[in-house]
Amino acid sequence: MSTAKDGAATWKSDIMLALLATLAGLALDAWAGFRPLTDAGGDNDNLLRLVEVRDLLGGQGWFDLHQYRMGLEGGFVMHWSRLVDAPIAALILAASKLTGNTPLAEDVAQVLWPALLFCLTLFFTVRAARSFAGQGAVLPAVLIGAAAYHFIGIYAPGALDHHNVQLMLTMASLSLLLEAPARHTAALFSGLCAALTLAVGMETVPYVATIGVAVSLLFVVDDSGERAIARDFGLGFAGVSALVFLATVPASAWGEAQCDAFSTVQFVVAAIAGAGLSAIASSDVTARSWRRRLVSLGLLGVAIGAVVVALFPQCLAAPYADLDPRLKELWLDHIDEAQSLVTLLIHDPARVAARYATPLMAIVLMALRFSRGGWRRQDSLVGAMLLAAFAVGAWQVRGTTFSIAFAVIPLSAWIAEWRARAEAGSSPGVALRLAAVWLVSVNPVWTGAAAAASLAFDKDTPVAAEDGTDKVCEKKASFALLGAMPDTTVLAISNLGAPVLAYTGHRVFAGPYHRNVTGNLLVLDAFLGSADDARRIVEAHRVGLLAVCRGNAESLTLTKKAPQGFLAALLKGTMPAWLEPVALTIGSPVELYRVRSAG
C-alpha cells in the first residue's frame, strides 16, 4: 500500500540476497585456501596497490603519490587515486588494532575489501535488473551476476586494484538512474557515483560520458519526466567532482594538466558539464520545446569541446601516443588486457567466447526489444551502457569486464520471461528452452567451454607444472630468499617489479607502468645490450643483485628480441666475471646473482 515501505522492503531483500551470494563466494575462496594471497597470478597492480597503502600507513604524504622504490633514483609519480588507498588503509588499521598483527591485518583487508565490493556490485546489479524487468528478474540477476563476478577475477581475495571499485560505482550510477523516476534523490547520488568512478581512474571515461549523454537526451525527449533527474544528476556530478579535486589534488598542482589521472582537466570538464546540465534543466526557457533543450545542450557540448581544445589539447591524443616505441613493442603489445577483439580472433579465438558471448547475446536481446516497439527509458539507459562497454571491449579486452556486468541485466529479463512461460504451462519444450536460456546466460559456462577448447585444439597452450613449481615467478614463496637478503637495488624484468616491492624491502627499476619510462628503458638497455653495457648500468646505479626468472613470458620475449644480449647469455649459462650466483637460488624460480663490485 505504501510505495516507500515497499521500496525499503525490496532494498532490504536485495541486499540480503547479495550478502548471501557474497558469503557463498567467500566460502569457495576459503575452501581454496585464499590462494591469491600467496599467488598473485601475475597481477602486478594488486601488489603495487598494497605497497602504496603500506607507504601511506608508513607516513608518506596524502598528496605524495611517488613510488620511491621503483624507477630511477627518486622514483616516479603514480597515476592512481588515494580514494582507493584510504578505505583499504582503514581496514588494515582496524584489523591490526584487533589482532595486533600487521601481516594478518593485511590479509584480512585483502579478503574483506574485494568481498565488500562484490556485495555492493551485485546489489546494484540486482536493483538495476529489478528496475528493468521487475521482481522476476531478481533471482536470475543474483545467480548469473554472482557467477560472472566471482569468475572474472576482479573480486578475488587480494584484488586491491581499482577496477572493482570502478565497476561497482558505474553499476551504482546506472542502477540509481533506473530508479530515479520513483526516488527523488536517486539522480543526485547517481551523479555522485559517476564523479567518483571518474576520479578513481580514467578507464571509465566512456561510461561516464555515456551516462551523461543518455541523461541529457532523455531530458530533451521528455521534459516533464526527466527535468529534475537531469538537474540533480548534473548537480551531483559537478559538486562531487569539486570535492574530489580539493581532496586529492594539492594546491601546488592545480595548474597542472594530467590526462591519465584526475586533475585540473577532468575537474574543469566535469564542472562545466555538470553545472551546465543542471542550469539548463533548471531554466524555464528550455521547458517550452525539445528544440530549445537540444540546442542548449548542443551549445554546452561545443563549449566543453572548445575548452578542451584550447586548454588541454594534449589530452585529445591516444592514451599511449607518446610511449617509447621500444616499450610499445616489448611491453604494451604483450599486455593481455590491452589486446583487441581482432587480435583475439586471430590468435586466441576460444577466448572470444569467454569475454564476448554474453554481452553479444544481451545486445541481440536489446535489438529485439527495439524491433518489437515499446522502447522505454530503461532500455535506453541499459542499451547505451551495454553498447559503450562492448565497443571499449572490442578495442581492449579489459572493457569486457563492464560489458559482461551490464549484460546481466537484459539476460536476467530474458530468463524471467521464460520462467513466466514455464510457470504458465508445463510443456517439456518450454522447460528445455528455459534450461538452455539459463545455461547460455551464465558467463562461466562460456569461460569453461573456451578453456576446454583451448586445451583441445591449441597444443602450444602452456600448462602448470605438475610438481607445482612456480616457473613464471608469481608466488610469494618464490621471493622468500630475496626477501631475507639485505636491502639493495635489484635489476629485474618489469614483471618482477611489483612482487619484489611487495614481498621484500628492495627497490627495482622496472615495473609495468606507463609513467615509469626511464626505469623500464634502463632495464631494456641492460638486458638487451652486451654484458659490458649491463655492467656500466649496474655500476652507475649501484645495483647489488640481479633477479632472473627463466620461465616468465617477459624473459622469453627479451631473449627472442636480443638472442645475443646480456639476459639471453645469462640464461644460457654465460656469466660475466663481475657476477656470482647466490648458491641457494640456483635452480629456483627466481635465480639471484650478486654483483661482485657491490660487495
Side-chain angles (χ1 to χ4, degrees), residues 173 177 187-188 190-191 194 211-212 215 229-237 277:
S173 184
L177 270 183
L188 181 70
S190 176
I211 289 176
V215 170
I229 293 174
R231 180 198 64 209
D232 293 347
F233 178 88
L235 185 63
F237 186 64
L277 175 60

Side-chain angles (χ1 to χ4, degrees), residues 198 202 205 237 241 245 249 253-273 304 307-309 311-316:
L198 181 65
M202 296 304 103
V205 167
F237 186 64
S241 295
F245 181 75
V249 181
W254 286 1
E256 299 177 7
Q258 304 291 342
C259 303
D260 60 349
F262 196 85
S263 66
T264 303
V265 183
Q266 294 75 16
F267 166 61
V268 169
V269 171
I272 295 175
I304 294 171
V307 168
V308 173
V309 170
L311 301 180
F312 317 113
Q314 68 272 31
C315 295
L316 296 175

Side-chain angles (χ1 to χ4, degrees), residues 470 473 478 481 548 550 584-592:
D470 181 24
C473 308
S478 298
L481 290 174
V548 175
R550 294 178 179 272
L584 292 176
T585 68
I586 296 175
S588 65
V590 179
E591 298 179 9
L592 301 177

